[in-house]
Amino acid sequence: MARQLNATAASLLGFLHEGPMSGWDLLQTAQERIGGFWSLTPSQVYRELARLADDGYAEAGAPGPRARRVFALTDDGRAAFRSWLQGEPAAEQIRYPLLLTVAFGRHLPADRRAAILASHRATHEARLAEYEETQRAAPADADAFATAGLDFGIRYERAVLDWFAHLPPEVDAAGGTGGG
Amino acid sequence: MARQLNATAASLLGFLHEGPMSGWDLLQTAQERIGGFWSLTPSQVYRELARLADDGYAEAGAPGPRARRVFALTDDGRAAFRSWLQGEPAAEQIRYPLLLTVAFGRHLPADRRAAILASHRATHEARLAEYEETQRAAPADADAFATAGLDFGIRYERAVLDWFAHLPPEVDAAGGTGGG
DNA sequence: TGGTACATGTAACATGTTACATGATTAG
DNA sequence: CTAATCATGTAACATGTTACATGTACCA
């Protein structure tokens, strides 16, 4: 028995500790709370929920409108979650296509490169602003565990923006060290 | 014709611009040059090479010892690579299981949490040291495009370590703001 | 000449993504 | 009442990972 959970499934179980939820609820919750460092799609959520139900880790309630089913954590699910949480977390995975574009940058005209860099830089600026706004809006007694994730996001985005700001002109024709 | 390349396949074509290589050669090259922000396994390399050959983007030479085959870039491959490189790079993907452990940290005893954090922190310290050593050892006239990737890695690792250093005691019993 | 590490792959599987189908609710 | 959007899912596919098989070189 006791299939080993993957991190995505385990996170769903984690959120179900706060009460029964539908796939949609879980998707919203996950994107809001762990979306910054763990992405998931609707398909994944529904598939994992089905498997969790199969394994007896979650129980589906009676179908409501739109065939909506609310899932509740079972005792087995609680145990599986705990056991997953005890384990050593795997190393982080970073896949950054923009850095590939830069790495092979000599095959790309300087102006195209600069345009791509500018557009991505803007995206990161927007994301940082959003994170900082969220942080500002957070109550002083906010949950320290949630806050830590947000803090990571902010530090990450700042590091990325510093990186952009310090690209040498050979790499970013429009940039240079002027930025940050 | 002209299947759309994925980033992994495109990277292999990118490296083949420097001359014919076997799967093993490509794996080594990739791990060294883009491993910091783009991971690949031997299996992937061999599978993508087979597909690239199928599509006429690379050509296998005669089998050598151990069935070793050296692949050479074709004109079609060069074109496919260029076209991929022109495209807008996708957003980066970060999946950081440790942050999930932290996010669900209230379900985990404080000492276990502290142990996990300490071990990951050490890993990041080691990686930063390694990157910095590589940077120190680099010749002054090193390729700016390669250097940019290394610089990203260094800034990223520093941001992560700052994050560790500023975790509140509720989250990291052993840590606190003392670190950095 | 026998063992170990290197190199090349294949197969099976798990995970993640995209495209699609469909029913409910809401705004006009 | 109709169109747009929300919510729930399924199916097909692409990618990534793990486990295994095999041959070769090198070293004791």
Side-chain angles (χ1 to χ4, degrees):
Chain A
M1 42 158 259
R3 173 175 72 86
Q4 185 55 24
L5 293 173
N6 63 45
T8 298
S11 298
L12 298 182
L13 290 183
F15 291 125
L16 286 182
H17 279 77
E18 300 165 23
M21 285 191 249
S22 72
W24 184 259
D25 298 336
L26 282 164
L27 184 64
Q28 303 305 313
T29 304
Q31 283 179 345
E32 190 183 314
R33 305 252 293 267
I34 59 174
F37 46 87
W38 199 267
S39 74
L40 19 62
T41 62
S43 294
Q44 267 180 289
V45 170
Y46 291 114
R47 181 170 57 191
E48 293 300 341
L49 272 177
R51 286 183 56 181
L52 288 171
D54 262 9
D55 291 346
Y57 295 159
E59 250 171 9
R66 300 181 194 184
R68 171 192 165 104
R69 286 179 305 161
V70 164
F71 290 81
L73 192 59
T74 66
D75 286 342
D76 277 3
R78 209 175 303 268
F81 173 77
R82 296 237 155 202
S83 134
W84 170 82
L85 194 59
Q86 291 286 334
E88 191 72 18
E92 85 267 39
Q93 239 183 285
I94 301 188
R95 318 203 101 180
Y96 206 155
L98 175 66
L99 293 182
L100 292 179
T101 302
V102 169
F104 295 115
R106 65 189 184 81
H107 298 288
L108 199 58
D111 58 338
R112 175 74 187 125
R113 229 162 44 216
I116 289 175
L117 284 166
S119 124
H120 281 252
R121 189 175 185 163
T123 301
H124 285 282
E125 276 161 358
R127 200 144 69 199
L128 175 59
E130 184 197 317
Y131 286 165
E132 285 177 334
E133 178 49 32
T134 303
Q135 191 178 55
R136 238 190 320 277
D141 64 341
D143 175 39
F145 298 112
T147 304
L150 183 57
D151 184 48
F152 176 86
I154 290 175
R155 289 175 189 279
Y156 171 76
E157 294 299 338
R158 286 192 184 141
V160 171
L161 288 170
D162 280 351
W163 174 79
F164 276 105
H166 289 90
L167 284 174
E170 305 107 278
V171 172
D172 184 9
T177 55
Chain B
M1 43 157 256
R3 173 175 73 83
Q4 185 54 22
L5 292 173
N6 63 46
T8 299
S11 299
L12 298 182
L13 289 183
F15 291 126
L16 287 182
H17 279 77
E18 300 165 22
M21 284 189 251
S22 71
W24 184 259
D25 298 336
L26 282 165
L27 184 65
Q28 302 304 314
T29 305
Q31 284 179 344
E32 190 184 315
R33 305 253 291 270
I34 59 175
F37 46 86
W38 199 266
S39 74
L40 20 60
T41 61
S43 294
Q44 268 180 288
V45 169
Y46 291 114
R47 180 170 56 189
E48 293 299 341
L49 272 176
R51 286 183 56 182
L52 289 172
D54 262 9
D55 291 344
Y57 295 159
E59 252 171 8
R66 299 182 195 183
R68 170 192 165 103
R69 285 180 305 163
V70 164
F71 289 81
L73 192 58
T74 65
D75 286 342
D76 277 3
R78 208 176 304 268
F81 173 77
R82 296 238 154 199
S83 134
W84 171 82
L85 194 60
Q86 291 286 336
E88 192 72 18
E92 85 267 39
Q93 238 184 285
I94 300 188
R95 318 204 102 180
Y96 206 155
L98 175 66
L99 293 183
L100 292 178
T101 302
V102 169
F104 295 114
R106 65 189 184 83
H107 298 288
L108 199 60
D111 57 339
R112 175 73 186 125
R113 231 162 44 215
I116 289 175
L117 285 166
S119 124
H120 282 251
R121 188 175 185 162
T123 302
H124 285 282
E125 276 162 357
R127 201 143 70 200
L128 175 58
E130 184 196 317
Y131 286 165
E132 286 177 334
E133 178 50 33
T134 304
Q135 192 179 54
R136 240 189 319 277
D141 64 341
D143 175 40
F145 298 111
T147 304
L150 183 57
D151 184 48
F152 176 86
I154 290 174
R155 289 175 190 278
Y156 171 75
E157 294 299 339
R158 285 192 185 142
V160 172
L161 288 171
D162 280 351
W163 174 78
F164 275 106
H166 289 89
L167 283 173
E170 305 106 278
V171 172
D172 184 9
T177 56

